[in-house]
Amino acid sequence: MSGPFKSKVKHLYKTLLHLGKDYPKGYEFFRSRLHASFLRHKDVEDPAEIEALIAKGEYVVKELEALYMLRKYRTLKKRYYE
């Protein structure tokens, strides 16, 4: 992996690590799974496949953000309306 992909992958990894701090099963669980996933795909050389993996990672970021927003919404709703 080289060039523009390296920076994109590093940014994605750091973003996911940051989001993993609030993961329901704990940070260590999330970090170990994330690390294993990135290691599994470390030898991918095809640019199209790398782009697909980055897109999948960005989708996971959006899903995690939605999960956290939903949890915050439920907490606020429970706190003020029940």
Side-chain angles (χ1 to χ4, degrees), residues 2-80:
S2 64
F5 293 124
K6 189 171 186 176
S7 63
K8 285 182 181 181
V9 171
K10 285 174 79 173
H11 183 265
L12 179 63
Y13 188 78
K14 287 180 180 182
T15 302
L16 285 167
L17 271 181
H18 178 70
L19 288 173
K21 292 178 183 176
D22 295 328
Y23 195 68
K25 290 188 178 183
Y27 177 71
E28 285 303 317
F29 174 81
F30 185 86
R31 190 191 145 292
S32 64
R33 299 278 303 260
L34 177 66
H35 187 71
S37 177
F38 272 75
L39 280 180
R40 188 174 354 154
H41 299 294
K42 72 178 183 174
D43 296 324
V44 176
E45 294 292 331
D46 181 30
E49 192 174 351
I50 293 172
E51 282 291 334
L53 290 169
I54 290 172
K56 188 175 181 181
E58 290 170 351
Y59 174 77
V60 170
V61 167
K62 289 178 186 177
E63 288 294 313
L64 284 172
E65 289 172 345
L67 173 73
Y68 297 153
M69 294 300 277
L70 182 61
R71 185 171 63 181
K72 288 178 185 178
Y73 170 75
R74 286 180 177 165
T75 301
L76 287 173
K77 184 178 175 186
K78 183 178 178 183
R79 193 174 292 163
Y80 293 109

